[in-house]
Amino acid sequence: MGRRVTLQTIADRVGVSRMTVSNAFSKPDQLSTGLRREILAAAHDLGYVGPDPAARALARGTTGAVGIVLTSSLRFAFTDLVATSFFGAIAERLAPTGLALTLLTSADSGDIIPARDVAIDGALIYSCDPTSAAVDYLTRRRLPLVYVDQEPLETVTTINVADRHGARAAARHLLDLGHRRIGLLMSGMHPPHGLIDPADVTIDGYAAKQRLLGWCDVLGEAGITPLVARQPGANPEEPRAAARLLLDRPDRPTAVLCFSDATAHGVLRAAVDLGIDVPRDLSVVGFDDNPLAAQLRPALTTVHQDVEAKGKAAATALTRAIADARAGVAHVPQHHVLPAELVVRDSTAPPPR
Amino acid sequence: MGRRVTLQTIADRVGVSRMTVSNAFSKPDQLSTGLRREILAAAHDLGYVGPDPAARALARGTTGAVGIVLTSSLRFAFTDLVATSFFGAIAERLAPTGLALTLLTSADSGDIIPARDVAIDGALIYSCDPTSAAVDYLTRRRLPLVYVDQEPLETVTTINVADRHGARAAARHLLDLGHRRIGLLMSGMHPPHGLIDPADVTIDGYAAKQRLLGWCDVLGEAGITPLVARQPGANPEEPRAAARLLLDRPDRPTAVLCFSDATAHGVLRAAVDLGIDVPRDLSVVGFDDNPLAAQLRPALTTVHQDVEAKGKAAATALTRAIADARAGVAHVPQHHVLPAELVVRDSTAPPPR
DNA sequence: GTGCCCTACTGTACCGATATAGAGAAGCGC
DNA sequence: GCGCTTCTCTATATCGGTACAGTAGGGCAC
């Protein structure tokens, strides 16, 4: 059985040095056209496909792929419209650079840590526990990193959305309409679930925390104590159930601020179940302005974030960080904050009298 | 400036051979606990993070990542609910094996071909022109491959859905209800668009072809010539416009068979625009049974495919092919066909008289 | 005490490329 | 004819690991 075909095989066949064959593939301007043609022909003849990516990665020190680390349930990452739009924007932005995108899960248990074992040139850390083993490895490996929707860290480039600002605007909007009994509907995998004290909210994720803080900034100032419910987020039916914790009660809120459009959708459906008219009897505010928000009925008042721009910014920041690293230049961490703006549609109105 | 820390650095420090250090990380049972602890401590001390993935990939011949090749617009791949659910199912299935998933685009122009330059252990070929350069490289590299929703090829393991069968069921359902004037709404990026002859349909993708064939099998048998419209698929507004080509005419169809639930959604919205009642005045059948189909109003009659199972089957087939390759066993190509079944909901009824 | 196995570790030979410096020939100005 | 640059191509030294075949020493059976 013949050995595998490598550069050397071709070099021997053509009678040139291995380096020249390498150049024929990787640096065409380093050799004469004639010889190059001859080499490529011989390569084709021998069934050689091109330089082995793994060997090239070792020799060059670059792999041509960047990672994106996801902690939260994979099911969620691919079900959530906001997440998928974000991935799409990144992939699209990365395509012309030739970088592939590798999905790295960060299950914290076991010793399966792709982030440790897969070769990449840099990574995006997205909606991911920053203390996870995966992030730890990447950091210690000194790979170029960009944090997205994570607690800002001085030393790392971050991309964030003005969630707190947006949340404030949402809360203020309800106050301006005259609402005083206000419910908050949070999302999060870990207990406690159900009706809870705002102070007890175990926060999952930086964005969730910022949104809650934003609401409380405004409500607190107005002396309002909201009613808070919390639900595990992945399943579309769960928000609907959680919403009833807020709606099935005599002193039910006249308005609900939701962690996302998906949870808001659950509230709308629960309202239908209960015969509560939105916005006449109940105002609902979402978050994200995902593609469905405008199509819901009533169209959802929500806080818009530009996911497309977020993906673009993340991809650009990462490619820049990688370029800096390659050039040996010290990378100066940057901190982008993208706007989040209230979009008033048809799901909010003054409270019933 | 000190050199990078490698296994050798640690070996020198501890006074053992490099191989022993390697074993401390990769084969713990090959050395005594005490020595191992000492080595790991020294490694930690020196800031060594673990074996370099690129070097390991070269030495071991495996990378810990598999690719998924996507041709169709990336925007589409991340916008389409069917595609994203599929990715999710794959990622979830892959996670416990420790394999990461690398998204490989196959832009046919230029020499940016991640599939050629990124090291992977195997790949899924999904909704992708089988003649693309990316697929060609992967094939010639003799990487384990699995084709999903592609024209079956004897020599490669394939995963397909019984699209043609499902399409037949959909068409038969309309005939059974009594429909005779039937429209088809196809999706495809390439011209011609608009109202076209079924024979002129340039097919994009194997699935599209199978669906069209299935419809025509049944309609042809019944002596019915359908009215066919075609639209570029990515944008949610486009089906709505294309639908009007079928609906804005005196002899408008009493029923429309749609390439996907997304296009069916467009038809439903066009019907609303035109004041046409579904299903009283118009029956609409989708394809895929995506998560939204049941939530549309009226709930969509459609052809269900189990995307979750498709992802599972794809991931399993690929990991098996990779295992076979590693073991040096000849891989016997398998051809899975998953069921596609009609789900009758509220968007179909007998034609108006 | 001899033979044998087992454990723990070592030495050498790759894995398949690229970087970098430099050698030899050709072209050019003066 | 001399020196200089340009164009091609070569030689050597990595890149950072892992595989595999040993070797040395200790324990055990008989």
Side-chain angles (χ1 to χ4, degrees), chain A residues 22 29 56-57 61 98 113 120 126-127 132 146 168 179 221 269 305 320-321 325:
Chain A
S22 172
D29 56 331
R56 172 184 278 202
I113 307 178
I120 49 177
Y126 179 59
S127 77
S132 77
V146 170
R168 285 202 198 107
H179 292 275
E221 235 168 53
R269 292 173 66 184
Q305 65 161 310
R320 183 167 311 163

Side-chain angles (χ1 to χ4, degrees), chain A residues 164 167-168 171 209-219:
Chain A
R164 188 164 183 171
R168 285 202 198 107
K209 184 155 128 197
Q210 294 305 301
R211 292 173 187 189
L212 180 60
L213 286 175
W215 293 331
C216 291
D217 286 346
V218 171
L219 299 180

Side-chain angles (χ1 to χ4, degrees), chain A:
Chain A
M1 178 74 195
R3 293 172 68 83
R4 275 185 62 177
V5 180
T6 72
L7 288 184
Q8 190 65 61
T9 321
I10 302 168
D12 293 347
R13 165 69 94 73
V14 180
V16 295
S17 84
R18 179 178 59 208
M19 199 58 231
T20 300
V21 181
S22 172
N23 284 333
F25 284 96
S26 305
K27 297 186 177 169
D29 56 331
Q30 296 291 306
L31 73 174
S32 64
T33 322
L35 181 56
R36 170 152 197 260
R37 206 178 318 234
E38 191 185 345
I39 290 175
L40 294 185
H44 184 84
D45 243 38
L46 292 165
Y48 183 75
V49 186
D52 179 82
R56 172 184 278 202
L58 177 58
R60 288 221 279 220
T62 70
T63 64
V66 299
I68 179 164
V69 184
L70 314 165
T71 314
S72 49
S73 115
L74 284 172
R75 172 101 41 195
F76 167 81
F78 285 96
T79 305
D80 183 65
L81 269 174
V82 177
T84 56
S85 314
F86 178 60
F87 299 161
I90 292 171
E92 193 146 347
R93 187 76 180 185
L94 245 30
T97 71
L99 287 169
L101 185 64
T102 299
L103 306 173
L104 266 15
T105 59
S106 133
D108 282 310
S109 60
D111 37 36
I112 295 181
I113 307 178
R116 175 191 53 190
D117 299 326
V118 175
I120 49 177
D121 293 336
L124 297 167
I125 312 297
Y126 179 59
S127 77
C128 168
D129 177 1
T131 66
S132 77
V135 176
D136 185 46
Y137 271 105
L138 297 175
T139 305
R140 288 181 17 215
R141 224 182 254 295
R142 296 174 190 245
L143 243 41
L145 297 183
V146 170
Y147 282 23
V148 181
D149 286 351
Q150 300 284 126
E151 175 101 41
L153 203 63
E154 261 315 307
T155 54
V156 181
T157 291
T158 60
I159 312 280
N160 275 97
V161 175
D163 281 314
R164 188 164 183 171
H165 169 85
R168 285 202 198 107
R172 201 169 298 121
H173 170 61
L174 291 182
L175 291 188
D176 289 350
L177 287 170
H179 292 275
R180 288 297 175 269
R181 284 206 313 280
I182 295 178
L184 308 183
L185 189 50
M186 300 293 297
S187 168
M189 295 309 288
H190 308 297
H193 292 130
L195 273 185
I196 57 178
D197 189 289
D200 278 356
V201 174
T202 325
I203 300 297
D204 323 60
Y206 180 69
K209 184 155 128 197
Q210 294 305 301
R211 292 173 187 189
L212 180 60
L213 286 175
W215 293 331
C216 291
D217 286 346
V218 171
L219 299 180
E221 235 168 53
I224 292 175
T225 306
L227 197 59
V228 185
R230 185 144 178 281
Q231 47 98 12
N235 181 317
E237 283 310 312
E238 274 158 348
R240 189 174 182 173
R244 301 195 52 157
L245 293 174
L246 296 174
L247 303 183
D248 270 343
R249 38 188 300 146
D251 65 335
R252 79 160 186 249
T254 60
V256 180
L257 290 163
C258 302
F259 168 73
S260 71
D261 293 336
T263 51
H265 187 27
V267 176
L268 292 185
R269 292 173 66 184
V272 170
D273 295 347
L274 297 170
I276 298 173
D277 185 81
V278 176
R280 196 193 60 203
D281 303 328
L282 178 74
S283 286
V284 178
V285 184
F287 218 118
D288 292 335
D289 195 19
N290 83 20
L292 255 59
Q295 290 178 35
L296 289 177
R297 150 198 291 237
L300 199 59
T301 292
T302 189
V303 178
H304 176 81
Q305 65 161 310
D306 188 342
V307 177
E308 201 69 27
K310 190 161 78 174
K312 232 165 118 167
T316 305
L318 184 58
T319 50
R320 183 167 311 163
I322 291 174
D324 284 354
R326 277 211 242 285
V329 180
H331 181 67
V332 180
Q334 303 192 329
H335 303 278
H336 301 264
V337 178
L338 278 61
E341 317 244 324
L342 182 69
V343 179
V344 178
R345 296 208 183 90
D346 310 330
S347 66
T348 47
R353 285 191 283 179

Side-chain angles (χ1 to χ4, degrees), chain B residues 149 160-170 172 207 210-211 215 286-289 302-307 309-310 336-344:
Chain B
D149 286 352
N160 276 97
V161 175
D163 282 314
R164 188 165 183 170
H165 169 85
R168 286 201 198 105
R172 201 169 298 120
Q210 294 305 301
R211 291 173 187 189
W215 293 332
F287 218 116
D288 291 334
D289 196 17
T302 188
V303 178
H304 176 81
Q305 64 162 310
D306 188 342
V307 177
K310 190 161 77 175
H336 302 263
V337 179
L338 278 62
E341 318 244 324
L342 183 70
V343 179
V344 178

Side-chain angles (χ1 to χ4, degrees), chain B:
Chain B
M1 177 76 191
R3 292 173 66 83
R4 277 186 62 178
V5 180
T6 71
L7 288 183
Q8 190 64 61
T9 321
I10 302 168
D12 293 347
R13 165 69 95 72
V14 180
V16 295
S17 83
R18 180 179 48 194
M19 200 58 231
T20 301
V21 181
S22 172
N23 284 333
F25 284 95
S26 305
K27 297 186 176 168
D29 55 331
Q30 296 291 305
L31 73 174
S32 66
T33 323
L35 181 56
R36 171 151 196 261
R37 204 176 322 230
E38 190 184 344
I39 290 175
L40 294 185
H44 184 84
D45 242 39
L46 292 164
Y48 184 75
V49 185
D52 179 82
R56 173 183 278 198
L58 177 57
R60 289 222 280 220
T62 69
T63 64
V66 298
I68 179 164
V69 184
L70 313 166
T71 314
S72 49
S73 117
L74 284 172
R75 173 101 41 194
F76 167 81
F78 285 97
T79 304
D80 183 65
L81 270 173
V82 177
T84 56
S85 315
F86 178 61
F87 298 160
I90 292 170
E92 193 146 348
R93 188 74 179 185
L94 245 30
T97 70
L99 287 169
L101 184 64
T102 298
L103 306 173
L104 266 15
T105 60
S106 136
D108 282 310
S109 60
D111 36 35
I112 294 179
I113 307 177
R116 175 191 54 191
D117 299 325
V118 175
I120 48 177
D121 293 337
L124 296 167
I125 312 296
Y126 179 59
S127 78
C128 167
D129 178 1
T131 66
S132 77
V135 176
D136 185 46
Y137 271 105
L138 297 175
T139 305
R140 287 182 16 215
R141 226 182 251 297
R142 296 173 190 246
L143 243 40
L145 297 183
V146 170
Y147 281 24
V148 181
D149 286 352
Q150 300 285 126
E151 175 102 42
L153 203 63
E154 261 316 307
T155 54
V156 181
T157 290
T158 60
I159 313 280
N160 276 97
V161 175
D163 282 314
R164 188 165 183 170
H165 169 85
R168 286 201 198 105
R172 201 169 298 120
H173 170 60
L174 291 182
L175 292 187
D176 289 350
L177 287 170
H179 293 275
R180 287 298 173 268
R181 284 204 314 280
I182 294 178
L184 308 183
L185 189 50
M186 300 293 296
S187 167
M189 295 308 289
H190 308 297
H193 292 130
L195 274 185
I196 56 178
D197 188 289
D200 278 356
V201 174
T202 325
I203 300 296
D204 324 60
Y206 180 70
K209 184 156 127 197
Q210 294 305 301
R211 291 173 187 189
L212 180 60
L213 286 175
W215 293 332
C216 290
D217 286 345
V218 171
L219 299 181
E221 234 167 55
I224 293 175
T225 305
L227 197 59
V228 185
R230 185 146 179 279
Q231 47 99 12
N235 180 317
E237 283 310 312
E238 274 157 348
R240 189 173 182 174
R244 301 195 53 157
L245 293 174
L246 296 174
L247 303 183
D248 269 343
R249 38 187 301 147
D251 65 334
R252 75 159 189 251
T254 60
V256 180
L257 290 164
C258 302
F259 168 73
S260 70
D261 292 337
T263 52
H265 186 25
V267 175
L268 292 186
R269 292 173 67 185
V272 170
D273 295 347
L274 298 170
I276 298 172
D277 185 82
V278 176
R280 196 193 61 204
D281 303 328
L282 179 74
S283 286
V284 178
V285 184
F287 218 116
D288 291 334
D289 196 17
N290 84 21
L292 253 59
Q295 291 179 36
L296 288 177
R297 148 198 290 237
L300 199 59
T301 293
T302 188
V303 178
H304 176 81
Q305 64 162 310
D306 188 342
V307 177
E308 200 69 27
K310 190 161 77 175
K312 230 165 120 167
T316 305
L318 184 58
T319 50
R320 183 166 311 162
I322 291 174
D324 284 356
R326 278 211 242 284
V329 179
H331 180 68
V332 181
Q334 303 192 330
H335 303 278
H336 302 263
V337 179
L338 278 62
E341 318 244 324
L342 183 70
V343 179
V344 178
R345 297 208 182 90
D346 311 330
S347 66
T348 46
R353 284 190 285 180

